[in-house]
């Protein structure tokens, strides 16, 4: 009799745990990356630094990030001439203290950038064709940031914003 009750409790707990995934799907949808920004150095470049234009992908607009008291994980991708992906840098935490919306600037890794929002079609062009049209060499670069979502997940996120 006790064994039957224990089995019932375990079964109920298992069923509850497997149905908790449904709200998580809505949460996953809300955590999609929806905004893309090119970042341009606000100061003088060193060498060909201007050739490597960072692309910042965010869940909320930068203006909304500024208003939010908590930091958010954003995806940082380095492009070559905005034509191709040079390096997928990974996840970067950005808080309101790194953002100056009046000057449209954001501070990342001890550098200040001007940001320009781009449309989903431009983001998708890069994500779906990461090698671009300009032939360049891409040496192995060790990751300095935590890994972000796979490119195919980012493509899926931005396809819903078109």
């Amino acid at each position: 009799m006790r064994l039957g009750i224990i089995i019932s409790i375990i079964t109920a707990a298992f069923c509850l745990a497997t149905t908790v995934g449904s709200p998580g799907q809505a949460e996953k949808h809300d955590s999609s990356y929806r905004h893309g920004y090119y970042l341009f150095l606000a100061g003088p470049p060193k060498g060909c630094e201007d050739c490597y234009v960072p692309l910042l992908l965010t869940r909320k607009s930068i203006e909304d990030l500024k208003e939010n008291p908590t930091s958010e994980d954003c995806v940082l991708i380095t492009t070559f001439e905005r034509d191709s992906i040079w390096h997928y840098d990974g996840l970067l935490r950005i808080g309101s203290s790194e953002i100056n919306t009046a000057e449209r600037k954001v501070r990342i890794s001890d550098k200040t950038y001007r940001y320009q929002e781009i449309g989903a079609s431009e983001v998708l062009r890069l994500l779906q064709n990461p090698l671009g049209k300009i032939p360049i060499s891409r040496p192995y670069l060790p990751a300095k940031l935590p890994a972000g979502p796979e490119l195919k997940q980012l493509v899926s996120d931005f396809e819903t914003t078109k």
Side-chain angles (χ1 to χ4, degrees):
M1 181 95 161
R2 286 186 180 159
L3 182 60
I5 294 171
I6 292 171
I7 290 173
S8 296
I9 292 171
I10 291 172
T11 303
F14 177 75
C15 289
L16 180 62
T18 56
T19 59
V20 171
S22 295
Q25 289 175 348
E27 190 175 310
K28 181 180 177 183
H29 180 70
D30 291 338
S31 67
S32 296
Y33 289 91
R34 301 184 180 284
H35 300 273
Y37 298 90
Y38 280 132
L39 306 178
F40 302 97
L41 278 172
K46 294 177 186 170
C48 193
E49 210 171 19
D50 275 348
C51 299
Y52 301 95
V53 179
L55 172 64
L56 185 69
L57 305 178
T58 63
R59 293 180 174 105
K60 300 175 185 173
S61 70
I62 287 182
E63 290 76 14
D64 288 344
L65 291 177
K66 175 66 176 171
E67 300 300 319
N68 194 347
T70 59
S71 297
E72 295 267 344
D73 283 336
C74 303
V75 173
L76 184 64
I77 296 172
T78 303
T79 72
F80 179 73
E81 296 282 348
R82 296 179 284 170
D83 171 69
S84 61
I85 294 177
W86 166 256
H87 187 255
Y88 186 154
D89 300 283
L91 290 178
L92 176 71
R93 235 171 215 286
I94 296 180
S96 62
S97 62
E98 287 92 25
I99 301 169
N100 180 338
T101 53
E103 296 181 14
R104 298 191 55 79
K105 292 181 179 177
V106 62
R107 187 147 181 84
I108 296 175
S109 302
D110 298 324
K111 292 184 182 180
T112 302
Y113 296 92
R114 291 175 292 108
Y115 62 86
Q116 175 188 353
E117 187 160 15
I118 60 173
S121 59
E122 176 73 6
V123 174
L124 283 169
R125 181 187 62 76
L126 280 164
L127 297 177
Q128 292 173 331
N129 186 18
L131 298 179
K133 295 178 182 173
I134 303 170
I136 58 171
S137 170
R138 290 177 177 81
Y140 171 76
L141 299 172
K144 294 180 182 177
L145 298 172
E150 292 183 20
L151 286 182
K152 68 180 180 177
Q153 179 60 50
L154 293 171
V155 166
S156 175
D157 288 353
F158 278 91
E159 282 180 335
T160 62
T161 63
K162 279 176 48 174

